[in-house]
Amino acid sequence: MRHLEDKFNKEYGYPWVFLNEEEFDGEFRSAVQRESSAPISFGLIPKEHWYQPDWIDEEKATEGRAQMQAANIIYADSVPYRNMCRFNSGFFFNHPLLQPYRYYWRVEPDIQYFCDVTYDPFDYLRDNKKTYGFTISFYEWEKTIPTLWATVKDFMTAHPEYIASENAMNYLSDNDGDSYNLCHFWSNFEIADMDFWRSEAYAKFFEFLDSKGGFYYERWGDAPVHSIAAALFLPKDQLHFFRDIGYRHEPFQHCPKGDDWVRGKCTCNSHDTLDYAPQSCISRYEKLFH
């Protein structure tokens, strides 16, 4: 919070919204309120939006977690992590505290911002008709989503009317959608338009995915879910790479280069960035436009 206030929000005063499945205590509220003079709201997540649904087959879910733990997959046995992924995939944008807002900037704990943000990214999205913005893109761990793409293909077959004509399928697939290449936008940083998540297309998509139980039987993350939806249901020119925003979430970071680095007075090393490393999908994204 301090990073983002220092690099951006001290000049703009945008409100903060904190959500949790338990009430925030007074100590936390006081600490947060010391960090910003902007309005701050604290909200409770409805139980039905956070906790594992009753209809999930717990025996099957337990078996899936055990298999992932045996494969040394991060958060393999964590139900709360799965709760978070499902909440961020399908519910956060409908929370009452977010209803006054169209755009949001997702902020996670333990992140860093390296550069001054010298313009308003929300204005940029609106003025340039952009819907979803990201800074980091790389490959998902296939063992966490073994049936996700097959489920997505079933949805596309059932609802071709939601697929944008100038979409970003070539970012997601190297064979016109037959298989998923695992590329996704890392969703711990998102600046985006919640009207998209609130749309009929996305609502139907999430309901379809949720009905399959993959958030709990496997470990479907909000990053591939958001990325696949944005790439398929939006024209590709409504996606935006915030290449001028320096950002780190362990263990990866994006650091701007050239004039962007100078303009932002960045403190990161412009050579220390994931962008064109073997595990990055940025080059696939950029090929969409060349």
Side-chain angles (χ1 to χ4, degrees), residues 180-286:
Y180 178 33
N181 62 25
L182 306 176
C183 282
H184 67 287
F185 308 120
W186 212 17
S187 60
N188 48 70
F189 173 102
E190 292 179 321
I191 304 177
D193 184 344
M194 285 185 283
D195 282 357
F196 175 62
W197 309 131
R198 295 164 178 156
S199 70
E200 177 182 293
Y202 187 77
K204 295 287 188 184
F205 180 65
F206 173 73
E207 288 168 9
F208 187 82
L209 296 187
D210 197 33
S211 72
K212 306 302 181 182
F215 290 103
Y216 293 98
Y217 300 142
E218 298 175 9
R219 206 212 68 188
W220 294 357
D222 53 277
V225 170
H226 279 188
S227 303
I228 289 168
L232 294 179
F233 307 149
L234 293 171
K236 63 186 179 182
D237 62 6
Q238 290 186 27
L239 305 174
H240 181 65
F241 175 22
F242 279 105
R243 62 180 70 246
D244 53 351
I245 296 181
Y247 173 76
R248 180 175 184 85
H249 182 298
E250 293 291 342
F252 301 121
Q253 73 181 40
H254 164 70
C255 186
K257 291 180 168 59
D259 291 344
D260 289 335
W261 189 89
V262 174
R263 189 181 308 110
K265 302 176 182 176
C266 301
T267 58
C268 53
N269 185 331
S270 60
H271 298 292
D272 186 11
T273 187
L274 179 71
D275 293 359
Y276 300 103
Q279 66 267 46
S280 174
C281 290
I282 290 295
S283 60
R284 290 179 184 270
Y285 171 79
E286 291 182 332

Side-chain angles (χ1 to χ4, degrees), residues 17-25 28-29 41-47 49-51 84 87 95 97:
V17 178
F18 288 83
L19 301 177
N20 198 29
E21 79 275 17
E22 299 177 357
E23 292 283 1
F24 291 103
D25 62 28
F28 180 86
R29 291 173 183 243
S41 302
F42 301 91
L44 187 64
I45 298 170
K47 293 187 186 312
H49 291 176
W50 184 264
Y51 293 103
M84 179 194 70
F87 171 73
H95 192 280
L97 288 179

Side-chain angles (χ1 to χ4, degrees), residues 13-185:
Y14 279 115
W16 289 84
V17 178
F18 288 83
L19 301 177
N20 198 29
E21 79 275 17
E22 299 177 357
E23 292 283 1
F24 291 103
D25 62 28
E27 181 180 358
F28 180 86
R29 291 173 183 243
S30 296
V32 164
Q33 287 166 335
R34 288 195 294 268
E35 296 299 328
S36 176
S37 59
I40 301 174
S41 302
F42 301 91
L44 187 64
I45 298 170
K47 293 187 186 312
E48 63 271 21
H49 291 176
W50 184 264
Y51 293 103
Q52 179 175 302
D54 293 339
W55 54 264
I56 289 291
D57 180 338
E58 180 52 38
E59 183 176 344
K60 182 178 178 180
T62 300
E63 180 182 349
R65 294 194 299 270
Q67 290 174 352
M68 287 193 185
Q69 192 165 23
N72 293 316
I73 293 172
I74 190 170
Y75 305 123
D77 62 345
S78 174
V79 175
Y81 183 83
R82 288 168 170 80
N83 293 341
M84 179 194 70
C85 290
R86 179 172 177 262
F87 171 73
N88 284 327
S89 293
F91 299 109
F92 82 91
F93 43 87
N94 286 328
H95 192 280
L97 288 179
L98 290 173
Q99 295 318 292
Y101 309 117
R102 177 176 171 183
Y103 296 98
Y104 71 100
W105 185 328
R106 180 167 162 180
V107 184
E108 297 256 331
D110 301 322
I111 51 91
Q112 297 178 60
Y113 284 92
F114 299 118
C115 314
D116 293 341
V117 181
T118 58
Y119 63 98
D120 187 326
F122 303 120
D123 284 348
Y124 180 87
L125 292 186
R126 186 190 65 241
D127 295 345
N128 292 278
K129 296 181 172 56
K130 305 292 186 181
T131 299
Y132 185 85
F134 67 95
T135 57
I136 292 174
S137 174
F138 60 95
Y139 297 99
E140 180 61 292
W141 199 339
E142 189 170 13
K143 291 180 180 179
T144 66
I145 55 165
T147 67
L148 176 59
W149 190 250
T151 307
V152 170
K153 288 168 70 175
D154 288 345
F155 181 83
M156 288 192 288
T157 299
H159 292 285
E161 69 273 18
Y162 295 138
I163 309 302
S165 59
E166 295 293 326
N167 62 54
M169 174 65 87
N170 289 338
Y171 165 76
L172 301 173
S173 176
D174 302 326
N175 49 25
D176 296 321
D178 185 49
S179 62
Y180 178 33
N181 62 25
L182 306 176
C183 282
H184 67 287
F185 308 120

